[in-house]
Amino acid sequence: MATGMVMEMKETLVSLLDAPLADAVIFGIHIDGHLFLETLLVVVIAFLLLQKSYQPEKRPLTEQEIDQLCDEWTPEPLHPPITKEMELSPPVLESAAGPHTVVNGKDVINLSSANYLGLIGHPKIKEACNAALEKYGVGACGPRGFYGTIDVHMDLEAKIAQFMGTPDSILYSYGLATVSSVIPAFCKRGDLILADEGVNWGIQNGLFLSRSTVRYFKHNDMASLEALLEDVRQEDRRKKKVLNRRFIVVEAIYQNSGEMVPLDTVVRLKEKYLFRVLVDESNSIGVLGKTGRGLSEHFNIPVEKIDIITSAMGHSLASVGGFCTGSAKVVDHQRLSGAGYCFSAALPPFLASASITALELLEDNPVLLTRLRRNISFFRSKLATIPGVVVRGHALSPLIFLHLQRSGSFAEDSVILQQIVDKMLEEGVLLSASKRSLLDKCKLGAGIRIMVTASHTEAELLSVSSSLGNVIQSVVTAQS
Amino acid sequence: MMDASRGVGGIYVKVVPPPDVNKNTSWFQYPGVWTTYILIIFISWLLILSVFGCDAGTAWTVVNLAHFAVTYRFFHWKKGTPFAEDQGDYAKLTWWEQMDNGRQNTRNRKFLIVVPVVLYLIASHTTDYRNPVLILNTIAVFWLVIAKFPNMHKVRIFGINSDYDT
C-alpha cells in the first residue's frame, strides 16, 4: 500500500521532470530526469567542496547543561559498603610478639608472628639496639640519598651481601615496599613478567606499578609455567617483536599458601627460555638451607643464577625493613631507580643494628635452624591427625596453612575459620585466619595461617594441636 | 596573499597545522589514505562481483550499503578511542568529531563527505534508478551526509548515543 503510493509519487515526479525535456537532445546528450539528478548531485558535491574550513569555538556550558549534568551524576562511593567481616577488629597484643604474648590481659601461645628464629626479645639484639639508640638516636632523618645514610646502613648492606654470598645489597625501610619498589625499577611498560598467581599483595602491587604485561601461571605449577614460556616463544617467532625485558617472579615460600617453589626447575626454565628470575625470600631467609641462607642454599644452586633476591627483614631477622641483593649492577641501579629507596626515609639506625646482630646470631647459632626444623616437622605430624582440615604448605615451611576439608568459597571458609580462631583465643592460643584485602587478586583458598618458631617448646605445640583438634571438631560438627 | 615587503623575506609567520596527537585519528593524516580508501571500495566491489556473480549495479548497491553501515558505526556511532593513554579526553566524541581536532570542513572531511555522494551517484546510475534499491541508496546517502554536516558537530538527536553517566 505504502510502496504503491510511493511508486505513484515517483512516477509523477519522473514524468514531471521528463515532460519538458522529453525530446531535448543537446549536443547529442539525451537529457532526461536521471541526468538532471546527476547534475544536481555534482552541484551538491561542488558546493560541499567549496565550504570554508573553520574550528568550531569552544563555548562554555550553559547553566541548563550544568544543571543537567549535576542532576544526572551519581557519585561512586570511595569505599564499598562496610560488611560485618570488615568490622572485626584483630586482637591487640599487649606485649612483645614472642612465642608467648599477652592479649586482653591473658597470656597466650603466639603462633601468628613470623618470628621464625625466635629472635624477638633476644638480649643481644636489645643490647645492640640500645647501643645504637645511645649513639644515633632513633630516626635517620632523611632519605638515603640526602644525608640519611649512616654507617650502620653500609655495614648492614655489606653484612647481608657477605651472608648471602652476593656482591652487594641495598636496604629498604619498609618490608612491603621492598618488592613493590624493586619490580618497577627493572620492569617498565612493554616488558613481560610471568608471575605465580599466588603471589602476595606486595608483589602484585609492584607488578601493577611496573605497567608491564603480566601473565600468571598456576600456583606453583611448573608445567603451567613451561607452557606459558613456550607460548611466549611461539609468539616471538610469529611476531618478531622488539626485544624486551622478561622476568619470572616467584616467592621462595609463598605467603598465601606456604608452598615452596621448585627453584631448580625455575632456573632450568629461565636458562632455557632466556628469562630473568626474581625470588622473594621473605619467608625463607633464616629458615631454608643448611646455614639459613635461603632457597638457593637449600637447592644447592649458586646464588649468582638468581638475578634478583628480595626479602623483608620483619620475618626471621626480627627487625623492620627489607633488602634486595644480586649482582653489583642490579643493586647499583636501584640506588637511583628504587622508589622506596630514593623517596623514603632511611631505615632507623637501631633497626639496622638489630638486623646485623640477628644475622650474626644466625651465623653463630645454627642450632636455631635445627630447632625450627624439628618444631615444624613435629607440629605438622600432629596437625595431620586432626580430622576435618587439610595441612597445606611445604614440609619445610614454617608457614603452615590449615584448609577446611569441605571448603566452599573464600568468604564462607573465612567465617568458619574465624570462629575456630576466636575459640582458640579463648583456649589461650593466638592464631590468625587468612585475610585478603579487596585489592588482592590472589584466588587461593582461605586457611588458618600458623607460623611455627624455633622458640616454641614441644609441650606447647602438643597442647596447641590437641586443643586445635577439639575446637575444629566442635566447630565443624556445629556446621554440619 | 599580499606581499607588500617583497625584499624582506620570511617575516610572515608560516602556519603549520598542528600535528594530530589523537592516535585514533592521526592515521588519516598520512599521504595515501585517500587512495587506499578508494581502492578498498573498488576492490570490495570487484570481490562482490566475483563472489556473488551479480550485475554491476547490484554490486555497487551492496558496496554503497555496506560502506554506509561500516562507516556509520565506526565514524558516527562508536565514541572514544581504543587507547587508554589519552585518559578519556575523547570519551564523548565520535571518530568524526575527533577528526582534525574538531576542525570543520577540512580537506579530509570534505573527502569523506564526497565519497558517499559519489558512491550514491555510481550506484543509482548503474542500477538505472530502479525502485527498491534507489530508496535504500538514497536513505544511506542522506543519513551519512547529514551526519557529516558541521552543524551536527556534537549533536545527539533525541539523546541517542549520548552518555552523561560515567
Side-chain angles (χ1 to χ4, degrees):
Chain A
M1 196 46 206
T3 43
M5 275 173 43
V6 173
M7 297 279 291
E8 267 184 34
M9 274 167 47
K10 192 208 165 232
E11 288 300 324
T12 43
L13 195 64
V14 168
S15 61
L16 274 175
L17 289 170
D18 272 353
L21 308 164
D23 293 292
V25 178
I26 302 180
F27 296 115
I29 303 170
H30 197 262
I31 310 260
D32 60 358
H34 297 170
L35 189 62
F36 183 73
L37 186 60
E38 283 162 15
T39 327
L40 181 66
L41 283 174
V42 169
V43 166
V44 164
I45 290 176
F47 170 73
L48 287 171
L49 284 176
L50 289 171
Q51 295 286 305
K52 219 159 53 126
S53 110
Y54 65 93
Q55 179 85 25
E57 55 176 61
K58 282 192 162 88
R59 51 175 182 78
L61 290 174
T62 61
E63 283 290 329
Q64 199 195 25
E65 281 175 340
I66 295 177
D67 288 337
Q68 188 187 23
L69 282 171
C70 289
D71 287 334
E72 287 169 349
W73 179 65
T74 47
E76 200 184 294
L78 272 179
H79 187 280
I82 308 256
T83 61
K84 210 156 63 75
E85 289 95 50
M86 291 185 202
E87 287 179 6
L88 293 173
S89 51
V92 177
L93 302 181
E94 288 158 14
S95 75
H100 277 257
T101 185
V102 175
V103 174
N104 284 338
K106 205 167 69 149
D107 184 86
V108 295
I109 301 175
N110 181 11
L111 284 169
S112 303
S113 302
N115 176 22
Y116 301 133
L117 297 173
L119 291 176
I120 287 187
H122 196 283
K124 278 225 174 86
I125 295 188
K126 279 207 246 188
E127 202 185 292
C129 285
N130 280 328
L133 279 171
E134 295 284 321
K135 183 173 177 189
Y136 302 108
V138 178
C141 288
R144 284 293 296 267
F146 197 63
Y147 304 106
T149 300
I150 301 179
D151 52 0
V152 275
H153 295 138
M154 316 287 288
D155 290 341
L156 177 54
E157 287 178 354
K159 177 90 196 152
I160 292 171
Q162 178 246 324
F163 178 71
M164 296 294 294
T166 52
D168 201 358
S169 72
I170 180 172
L171 282 182
Y172 285 86
S173 316
Y174 179 33
L176 199 64
T178 308
V179 75
S180 300
S181 306
V182 170
I183 296 180
F186 291 99
C187 311
K188 313 283 181 199
R189 195 188 284 280
D191 295 339
L192 177 66
I193 304 183
L194 303 182
D196 189 295
E197 64 180 10
V199 286
N200 64 42
W201 184 80
I203 298 182
Q204 288 174 31
N205 200 22
L207 296 173
F208 171 74
L209 288 172
S210 70
R211 301 271 184 267
S212 320
T213 319
V214 182
R215 297 176 71 176
Y216 292 94
F217 58 92
K218 292 203 196 50
H219 182 53
N220 221 17
D221 185 352
M222 291 296 113
S224 165
L225 174 59
E226 182 147 21
L228 207 55
L229 286 164
E230 254 320 308
D231 209 21
V232 169
R233 184 165 272 192
Q234 292 298 330
E235 226 176 284
D236 280 348
R237 278 204 199 110
R238 267 203 323 257
K239 288 196 191 160
K240 291 201 190 336
K241 289 193 291 240
V242 169
L243 202 60
N244 58 357
R245 289 171 279 253
R246 307 227 170 133
F247 276 86
I248 300 176
V249 170
V250 288
E251 286 182 62
I253 291 181
Y254 288 93
Q255 184 85 10
N256 284 327
S257 70
E259 301 284 345
M260 178 157 62
V261 68
L263 190 67
D264 45 358
T265 323
V266 171
V267 168
R268 180 177 57 81
L269 287 173
K270 83 132 185 173
E271 288 184 338
K272 178 176 170 197
Y273 290 92
L274 303 175
F275 270 59
R276 293 198 171 99
V277 73
L278 187 153
V279 182
D280 183 85
E281 294 221 34
S282 305
N283 292 312
S284 63
I285 294 279
V287 171
L288 294 180
K290 215 157 33 101
T291 54
R293 279 170 168 76
L295 198 63
S296 46
E297 199 187 12
H298 173 77
F299 278 100
N300 264 327
I301 292 174
V303 75
E304 295 84 42
K305 290 216 170 151
I306 308 179
D307 300 282
I308 306 176
I309 299 175
T310 62
S311 171
M313 294 195 292
H315 298 250
S316 342
L317 299 184
S319 176
V320 173
F323 66 83
C324 173
T325 181
S327 72
K329 283 219 172 89
V330 160
V331 168
D332 203 44
H333 174 73
Q334 289 175 63
R335 304 261 179 219
L336 285 177
S337 296
Y341 181 83
C342 301
F343 301 113
S344 290
L347 191 64
F350 73 94
L351 289 171
S353 304
S355 295
I356 296 176
T357 320
L359 282 171
E360 284 171 358
L361 282 172
L362 175 55
E363 280 181 330
D364 297 334
N365 301 314
V367 67
L368 291 170
L369 291 165
T370 21
R371 232 185 275 161
L372 176 62
R373 254 171 246 142
R374 218 182 41 220
N375 281 351
I376 295 173
S377 58
F378 178 74
F379 201 42
R380 282 187 77 94
S381 61
K382 288 288 169 276
L383 287 175
T385 61
I386 301 177
V389 284
V390 180
V391 180
R392 293 245 168 84
H394 194 265
L396 292 173
S397 148
L399 260 178
I400 304 175
F401 275 82
L402 288 179
H403 291 235
L404 291 174
Q405 201 146 36
R406 271 188 297 143
S407 78
S409 69
F410 186 86
E412 294 164 1
D413 283 0
S414 296
V415 170
I416 304 174
L417 294 170
Q418 190 58 40
Q419 287 173 1
I420 299 175
V421 164
D422 292 336
K423 282 217 166 82
M424 286 300 289
L425 187 56
E426 290 165 21
E427 303 273 327
V429 181
L430 180 61
L431 296 172
S432 60
S434 18
K435 303 228 173 14
R436 298 258 169 81
S437 140
L438 289 166
L439 301 169
D440 202 327
K441 292 195 300 214
C442 177
K443 302 270 186 303
L444 300 179
I448 296 181
R449 193 183 61 181
I450 302 177
M451 292 171 157
V452 183
T453 79
S455 37
H456 282 117
T457 62
E458 284 202 359
E460 285 171 351
L461 295 176
L462 199 55
S463 79
V464 167
S465 67
S466 61
S467 46
L468 198 55
N470 296 333
V471 164
I472 290 176
Q473 202 168 28
S474 68
V475 169
V476 165
T477 45
Q479 271 320 109
S480 53
Chain B
M1 196 139 76
M2 300 218 293
D3 197 17
S5 49
R6 200 173 300 169
V8 186
I11 69 164
Y12 290 112
V13 176
K14 282 198 171 33
V15 177
V16 177
D20 196 352
V21 292
N22 184 354
K23 281 206 245 188
N24 196 21
T25 56
S26 60
W27 59 276
F28 214 78
Q29 311 296 334
Y30 283 116
V33 160
W34 291 9
T35 320
T36 315
Y37 194 83
I38 294 171
L39 273 179
I40 290 176
I41 293 177
F42 183 66
I43 290 177
S44 55
W45 175 69
L46 290 176
L47 269 175
I48 291 171
L49 268 184
S50 51
V51 166
F52 292 113
C54 48
D55 62 324
T58 322
W60 276 119
T61 310
V62 173
V63 167
N64 189 21
L65 295 177
H67 174 260
F68 160 62
V70 168
T71 52
Y72 190 74
R73 182 184 187 267
F74 286 106
F75 292 176
H76 299 282
W77 188 266
K78 283 303 264 179
K79 298 207 288 283
T81 67
F83 301 101
E85 290 100 43
D86 59 26
Q87 296 178 2
D89 285 344
Y90 308 106
K92 291 192 170 47
L93 297 178
T94 63
W95 187 87
W96 182 256
E97 287 156 3
Q98 291 169 30
M99 261 273 288
D100 289 334
N101 289 320
R103 211 176 156 72
Q104 300 299 320
N105 291 330
T106 61
R107 307 191 64 158
N108 285 330
R109 284 174 184 249
K110 286 177 185 168
F111 170 74
L112 285 174
I113 291 188
V114 164
V115 164
V117 178
V118 169
L119 264 182
Y120 173 68
L121 262 177
I122 299 174
S124 42
H125 181 84
T126 49
T127 59
D128 277 332
Y129 301 88
R130 268 197 322 266
N131 213 1
V133 292
L134 180 68
I135 290 189
L136 291 173
N137 281 330
T138 317
I139 293 176
V141 79
F142 263 96
W143 204 316
L144 267 186
V145 171
I146 290 177
K148 293 178 158 66
F149 276 169
N151 312 60
M152 293 293 282
H153 184 69
K154 290 197 199 172
V155 170
R156 306 270 179 260
I157 306 176
F158 301 129
I160 299 174
N161 203 19
S162 85
D163 43 4
Y164 278 115
D165 50 339
T166 51

